Amino acid sequence: MTRPTLEKVAARAGVSRATVSRVVNGSTTVAEHIRVAVQRAVEELGYVPNQAARSLVTQRADSIALVFSEPPVRVFSDDPTFAGIIRGVSLEADAADKQVVLMLAGSSRGHERVERYTTSGHVDGVIVASMHGADPLPAALARRGIPVVCSGRPLTGSSLPYVDIDNVGGAESAVRHLLESGRRRIATIAGPPDMVAGIDRLTGYRSTLRDSGRRSIIAIGDFTRDGGFDAMNQLLEDDPALDAVFAASDMMALGALQALRRAGRRVPDDVAVIGYDDIPSAPYADPPLTTVRQPTLRMGRELARLLLNPGESVILPTELVVRESA
Amino acid sequence: MTRPTLEKVAARAGVSRATVSRVVNGSTTVAEHIRVAVQRAVEELGYVPNQAARSLVTQRADSIALVFSEPPVRVFSDDPTFAGIIRGVSLEADAADKQVVLMLAGSSRGHERVERYTTSGHVDGVIVASMHGADPLPAALARRGIPVVCSGRPLTGSSLPYVDIDNVGGAESAVRHLLESGRRRIATIAGPPDMVAGIDRLTGYRSTLRDSGRRSIIAIGDFTRDGGFDAMNQLLEDDPALDAVFAASDMMALGALQALRRAGRRVPDDVAVIGYDDIPSAPYADPPLTTVRQPTLRMGRELARLLLNPGESVILPTELVVRESA
DNA sequence: ATGCTGGCTGAGAGCGCTCTCACGTCGGGG
DNA sequence: CCCCGACGTGAGAGCGCTCTCAGCCAGCAT
């Protein structure tokens, strides 16, 4: 009942361990008839290489970790970002014959666990998908000598390679759309100021308005629906005459929609609303939400590619999806 | 720049490899002053045990795999099930000092990858969270001699241990609630017939109606919003006089709500609607959705517990959450 | 004094694999 | 005819760790 070893396979095929190893690893310097014999033995015995033994000598694990430095509730919300990243990373890793190991490092204990796991030789590199730009984890891993790539520009001043989405540009395109459709008083519901996405989208909003000579009307949300609801109410109070809102996330936009409805404002007639992320339920909002879509799959691919063969950081463009809310 | 080994630590602390190993692994038979000295050496060198070497001799990996046998898009949808399971598993694994490795086995290639990974000694056991009860993966792993626990009763007839949620009971409680509030013509939007959750919820619906002498009105959905929308339309056509719908998932309930609205039916006045899952957006539906909540966190805990110390399969109870839609 | 027990420590044998060498065994050129 | 290179194979040394077992030194009973 014990798992067959190289030795067993070798004995069965009537060759040496080394030869079996060569066959298993696809070396070309093995005579055809021997290769066939070995493969049959492997098949018959159901041999699977012991990865621990292999790693021990090669010093490679042939797998990479994809760490989500967020509480699971956020990772598994109605947000396509993570799903896209995972798919992209998996695709690229597959192509390079690497295994992807997902880890959640929500708590501080999680951080420690992840650090131990990744430094103990389980993986050849780590992709940290952290929304909080000031996360200490990436730098900590890098210090340990582990290759690291960040999803989202790190706020820690470290020079780690990263892949980010053009948040500034995305916000700009949204606000410009509002401007071009004749809106005059454009408010924003910004994200948390400790997240790159929040900061950059606010920057894009601000600069675009400034360029057009209009003033900013800002409320801070936390990327959640309730946060968006509250922020919208405050915005309405601050400037009852506003005619458009750019929310830094679709969730907040959904909350804003609700607040607007409750306040008796029609969307888009009285107030235009644009969100960010293009979550699955955006098309089903009332009215269907105009939003900024991000190339999450591509982000995942670039992340993996950057980890596998180091190079320059990458910034990906966004796409404005116009529906009915603006 | 190379990682320190046991040997290095031993040399620095002036003891043997064996002693360092003892200290690192928390053996009690080490003299206090030596223990302290070794710990200092470990600290100074930043020593982290090489897991490959350790696994090689212990034949343990000290980690377990949590495999999602679904496409990522489903895993990362607005569905708290997976998040709850993951948190529960993590909690329990943490307590047992095991590492949790998440894997997605959406494609058939994914299956193969997962099988290779888990059989190559990377993990001590596998939890398969598959919604498709007929998934061949669990049995395949078990055949390989790897401990396996399934989330959801397997439909393959295998006798693998599993943890499931009382889908029949959950459906019963929903239908009974409808019955008790005076509804007479209660329809259902069932889930796909190849998923245990779909099958069992339909069973619960049917038996409850039969017991009360009423007839079933059934449409099949696919657990998606669009599927729910279509199914609701068909139901309306089949029996325009229906006054209640039990949808086997909240997503389908959301679609049904939309179809009902479009058909000019008021909820709950004309038609009562109950969903299943209690997704995060259920309270924000219009009207807020009455639904069946599942103990997903506990499910995760039981799953891990069952894997770590084998025992009887477990079935967990549900809870009816009454809001305004029914 | 001698023998014994009990508590700690070190020596050393592997765990299953890869990879470097050395070792045939051919074939072709000198 | 011999030598040399190319090619294919096997022997063997580890990779870094755990764990058994032997060894040592006290301390106690005999």
Side-chain angles (χ1 to χ4, degrees):
Chain A
M1 194 54 232
T2 169
R3 269 174 44 195
T5 68
L6 253 200
E7 196 95 36
K8 293 255 175 47
V9 178
R12 179 167 196 118
V15 297
S16 74
R17 239 173 30 234
T19 299
V20 178
S21 175
R22 274 188 274 260
V23 171
V24 170
N25 292 292
S27 166
T28 52
T29 68
V30 178
E32 181 63 13
H33 72 281
I34 290 201
R35 227 199 58 227
V36 172
V38 169
Q39 277 171 342
R40 222 195 33 222
V42 165
E43 203 81 14
E44 289 170 355
L45 262 38
Y47 170 74
V48 179
N50 179 323
Q51 188 55 44
R54 184 178 269 178
S55 290
L56 185 56
V57 35
T58 60
Q59 305 283 26
R60 286 179 289 102
D62 288 326
S63 58
I64 60 178
L66 173 50
V67 177
F68 290 103
S69 191
E70 296 289 322
V73 62
R74 178 152 254 141
V75 176
F76 292 87
S77 61
D78 185 31
D79 183 337
T81 312
F82 295 109
I85 291 179
I86 291 180
R87 284 212 308 134
V89 169
S90 299
L91 248 38
E92 212 60 34
D94 255 28
D97 227 13
K98 303 270 184 228
Q99 185 53 243
V100 180
V101 170
L102 262 51
M103 303 192 68
L104 263 32
S107 58
S108 65
R109 246 193 100 190
H111 269 217
E112 189 198 315
R113 265 183 16 228
V114 168
E115 205 169 329
R116 234 187 28 220
Y117 185 83
T118 52
T119 52
S120 71
H122 270 294
V123 295
D124 301 325
V126 179
I127 296 174
V128 182
S130 155
M131 308 272 79
H132 292 267
D135 197 312
L137 185 62
L141 295 179
R143 221 175 301 121
R144 287 283 197 174
I146 300 170
V148 178
V149 173
C150 305
S151 113
R153 176 166 54 87
L155 244 36
T156 46
S158 65
S159 57
L160 293 171
Y162 66 88
V163 177
D164 206 349
I165 287 178
D166 186 8
N167 286 297
V168 176
E172 275 177 13
S173 70
V175 177
R176 239 190 342 257
H177 176 75
L178 258 11
L179 247 16
E180 282 163 8
S181 53
R183 306 290 171 168
R184 327 284 305 277
R185 304 179 91 122
I186 304 174
T188 192
I189 301 177
D194 66 329
M195 301 197 193
V196 221
I199 296 170
D200 289 0
R201 290 170 197 176
L202 180 56
T203 303
Y205 162 84
R206 271 191 161 125
S207 67
T208 312
L209 275 197
R210 191 178 329 109
D211 290 354
S212 75
R214 307 197 179 277
R215 74 173 233 278
S216 300
I217 312 167
I218 303 173
I220 306 285
D222 58 357
F223 278 151
T224 71
R225 182 172 207 142
D226 290 347
F229 182 82
D230 295 343
M232 188 70 242
N233 283 331
Q234 199 204 305
L235 245 22
L236 249 17
E237 198 168 306
D238 291 355
D239 187 344
L242 60 81
D243 61 2
V245 183
F246 164 58
S249 84
D250 280 357
M251 268 320 205
M252 297 199 295
L254 255 27
L257 245 28
Q258 196 182 341
L260 252 11
R261 194 161 29 227
R262 182 164 307 190
R265 310 291 177 108
R266 287 167 307 163
V267 176
D269 315 35
D270 301 333
V271 180
V273 176
I274 298 190
Y276 208 108
D277 291 338
D278 194 22
I279 64 176
S281 51
Y284 299 101
D286 177 27
L289 200 60
T290 291
T291 186
V292 179
R293 179 183 298 161
Q294 318 189 71
T296 56
L297 185 89
R298 180 140 172 247
M299 185 169 192
R301 302 192 80 127
E302 296 291 345
L303 242 11
R305 203 169 315 179
L306 204 50
L307 184 64
L308 266 20
N309 24 21
E312 289 301 304
S313 291
V314 179
I315 293 181
L316 271 17
T318 61
E319 176 195 357
L320 185 70
V321 180
V322 180
R323 297 205 179 90
E324 296 171 27
S325 70
Chain B
M1 196 52 233
T2 170
R3 268 173 47 195
T5 69
L6 252 201
E7 196 95 36
K8 293 257 173 48
V9 178
R12 180 166 196 119
V15 297
S16 75
R17 237 172 34 231
T19 300
V20 178
S21 177
R22 274 188 274 262
V23 172
V24 171
N25 292 293
S27 164
T28 52
T29 67
V30 178
E32 181 63 14
H33 71 281
I34 290 199
R35 229 199 56 228
V36 173
V38 169
Q39 278 170 340
R40 220 192 36 220
V42 165
E43 202 81 13
E44 289 170 354
L45 262 37
Y47 171 74
V48 179
N50 180 323
Q51 188 56 42
R54 184 178 271 176
S55 290
L56 185 56
V57 35
T58 61
Q59 304 283 29
R60 286 179 289 103
D62 288 327
S63 56
I64 60 179
L66 173 49
V67 177
F68 290 102
S69 190
E70 296 289 323
V73 62
R74 177 151 254 142
V75 176
F76 292 87
S77 62
D78 186 32
D79 183 337
T81 313
F82 296 108
I85 291 179
I86 291 180
R87 285 212 307 134
V89 169
S90 299
L91 248 36
E92 211 61 33
D94 255 29
D97 227 14
K98 303 269 185 233
Q99 185 52 242
V100 179
V101 171
L102 263 51
M103 302 192 69
L104 263 33
S107 57
S108 64
R109 251 197 93 187
H111 270 216
E112 189 198 318
R113 264 181 19 226
V114 167
E115 204 169 328
R116 232 186 32 218
Y117 185 83
T118 53
T119 52
S120 70
H122 270 295
V123 295
D124 302 324
V126 179
I127 296 174
V128 182
S130 154
M131 308 272 80
H132 292 268
D135 197 311
L137 185 61
L141 296 179
R143 220 175 302 121
R144 287 283 196 173
I146 299 169
V148 178
V149 174
C150 304
S151 114
R153 176 167 53 85
L155 244 36
T156 44
S158 66
S159 56
L160 293 171
Y162 65 88
V163 177
D164 206 350
I165 288 179
D166 186 8
N167 287 297
V168 177
E172 274 177 14
S173 71
V175 178
R176 242 194 335 262
H177 176 75
L178 256 14
L179 247 16
E180 282 163 9
S181 53
R183 305 289 171 167
R184 327 283 306 275
R185 305 179 89 120
I186 304 174
T188 192
I189 301 177
D194 64 331
M195 302 198 195
V196 220
I199 297 169
D200 289 1
R201 291 172 197 173
L202 180 56
T203 303
Y205 161 84
R206 271 193 160 125
S207 68
T208 312
L209 276 197
R210 190 179 329 110
D211 290 354
S212 75
R214 310 198 175 276
R215 75 172 234 278
S216 299
I217 313 167
I218 303 172
I220 306 285
D222 58 357
F223 280 152
T224 71
R225 182 172 206 141
D226 289 347
F229 181 83
D230 295 343
M232 188 69 243
N233 284 330
Q234 199 204 305
L235 246 21
L236 249 18
E237 200 168 304
D238 291 355
D239 187 345
L242 59 83
D243 61 3
V245 183
F246 164 59
S249 83
D250 279 357
M251 268 322 205
M252 296 199 295
L254 256 28
L257 246 26
Q258 196 183 340
L260 253 9
R261 195 163 27 232
R262 182 164 308 189
R265 312 290 176 108
R266 287 166 310 160
V267 176
D269 314 36
D270 300 334
V271 180
V273 176
I274 297 190
Y276 208 109
D277 291 339
D278 195 21
I279 64 175
S281 52
Y284 298 103
D286 177 25
L289 200 60
T290 292
T291 186
V292 180
R293 181 184 296 161
Q294 319 190 69
T296 56
L297 185 88
R298 180 139 171 248
M299 184 168 192
R301 301 191 80 125
E302 297 291 346
L303 241 13
R305 204 171 313 179
L306 204 51
L307 184 65
L308 266 19
N309 23 23
E312 289 301 303
S313 291
V314 179
I315 293 182
L316 271 16
T318 62
E319 178 194 355
L320 184 69
V321 180
V322 179
R323 297 206 177 91
E324 297 170 28
S325 71

